[in-house]
Amino acid sequence: MRQTAPRTSVLFHVVDFNDGGIESSLIQWLRILDRSRFEITLSVMFASPPFISRFRALIPQDVKVEILVDRPWLNHFQSRRYARKLSKLGRVGRDVFNTLAVRPYVRKRIASLAKHHDVIVDFDMSLRRWASQFNVAWLGVNHFSFDARLGNRPRKARRLAQQYARYDAVVALNQHMADEANAMFGDGLRRLVVLPNAIDIDAINASASAPDASTAPVAAPYIVSVARLDEIQKDHRTLLHAYAKMVSSNAVAEHLVIVGNGAFRQELEGVAAQLGIAQRVHFVGHQDNPHALIAHARALVLSSRYEGMPMVLLEALAHGKPIVATDCPTGPREILDDGRAGILVPIGEPDVMADALMRVVADAGLRDAMTANALARAQHYGIEQSNRRFAECVADILAARHAHRSVKAPA
């Protein structure tokens, strides 16, 4: 009788859930992994308000969820942080408390969970101090450009290099990011793996017609941007100037819908007013389900100065949207297949962005071709290919650990 191979038990870990791309990409992995191969647990250090109100319901029912800091007294400072009631002195107290009380407690919880798992996927690398411990394979996932985050901080880069070297493998989301890691860390990492974010294409398309999907704030056709209002990274100023140029130079029917919240919202609304486009630019804030807004847009635009591997571009591919994105480090060029699945424009150049957007909205034939290319490119990040890549990665690090143990074992 043929025996079924035992499943590999995988523990995904993240500190908490907010409203960023890391959380979205983690939910996608929890959904798409092949259950005939993998048994999955999720550990979350703190149960944040977004986790309780939104993300908990998105986690598949067969994924066991462990909240590591599960004692009310251990959550005192973190709860005040979520409520935005933590003063400067309180932040100092939190750091001391976390070092003396929270961190040892979490370490015990992780050590206990490790006994029942083959692999820990440290999805935000928040457990890097303990990577290589507990007799389990460790996979650390980096979501950002190494150069953008560490290029001007050599001391921090050296410290992190020592911690990253403890992982059985460090994951880069694309080849550009892997090239940065090789240049920065050299041979210091045990293994460097390129493992892109994954998407469930059918689920993404279905979410566009779900009851909770956001609807457009305007009846006119529109261009959509979905990004946190963080000008250090996302650069909506360039987008607003590009859109103003489109409006002033052409008869443009399309409005601009900006999805996202952040500290720069009031400033950006002021920029739109100064440029005379405030009536055509719609700031709709964060949307739990923006997929209908993406699906019905004329095009999606990303204006970032740097990225990791932006989930919004993957989701736009799944919807077959024409895309205009800055050619920033590290994600857009690879996601858009060197410009074959979207238009790449230079960082911080509104005139070039305006010309690209104008080409898209004015040329229906171009949009049709871009839609076909986007849908084809989305398959590269779909369930089948993502499972293959993840299974190969896990098999490689487990085989390497087995070989290492065999070499160390006495004859």
Side-chain angles (χ1 to χ4, degrees), residues 19-21 54 214 217 223-231 234 236 239 256-269 281-290 293-294 300-302 312:
D19 290 310
R54 177 188 172 204
S214 303
I223 299 162
V224 68
S225 165
V226 183
R228 185 178 65 257
L229 302 186
D230 171 9
E231 288 307 278
K234 301 299 184 179
H236 288 86
L239 171 57
L256 176 62
V257 175
I258 297 179
V259 181
N261 270 333
F264 288 84
R265 176 166 178 167
Q266 186 174 359
E267 180 179 330
L268 291 169
E269 289 175 335
V281 178
H282 308 272
F283 291 86
V284 299
H286 170 78
Q287 304 294 315
D288 287 345
N289 181 0
L293 288 171
I294 298 172
L300 179 133
V301 60
L302 183 76
V312 68

Side-chain angles (χ1 to χ4, degrees), residues 139-291:
L139 190 64
V141 183
N142 176 74
H143 294 267
F144 305 103
S145 163
F146 288 101
D147 283 349
R149 292 299 178 95
L150 300 172
N152 296 319
R153 306 174 72 180
R155 291 181 61 184
K156 184 174 182 179
R158 286 193 295 271
R159 184 174 74 253
L160 289 178
Q162 294 175 346
Q163 295 173 336
Y164 290 176
R166 299 169 186 166
Y167 291 98
D168 293 84
V170 169
V171 166
L173 301 186
N174 50 57
Q175 189 58 50
H176 188 157
M177 196 183 292
D179 292 341
E180 290 181 347
N182 276 321
M184 186 169 292
F185 304 124
D187 297 328
L189 304 180
R190 297 189 197 179
R191 184 185 296 260
L192 182 64
V193 179
V194 175
L195 186 64
N197 287 333
I199 53 173
D200 182 339
I201 296 170
D202 290 340
I204 287 171
N205 281 289
S207 65
S209 56
D212 66 337
S214 303
T215 56
V218 62
Y222 61 92
I223 299 162
V224 68
S225 165
V226 183
R228 185 178 65 257
L229 302 186
D230 171 9
E231 288 307 278
I232 296 170
Q233 179 185 357
K234 301 299 184 179
D235 193 15
H236 288 86
R237 288 191 193 95
T238 290
L239 171 57
L240 291 172
H241 280 274
Y243 180 70
K245 178 177 173 57
M246 288 178 64
V247 171
S248 64
S249 303
N250 304 274
V252 177
E254 286 76 12
H255 284 222
L256 176 62
V257 175
I258 297 179
V259 181
N261 270 333
F264 288 84
R265 176 166 178 167
Q266 186 174 359
E267 180 179 330
L268 291 169
E269 289 175 335
V271 171
Q274 292 168 10
L275 293 171
I277 55 174
Q279 298 303 313
R280 301 172 60 105
V281 178
H282 308 272
F283 291 86
V284 299
H286 170 78
Q287 304 294 315
D288 287 345
N289 181 0
H291 288 288

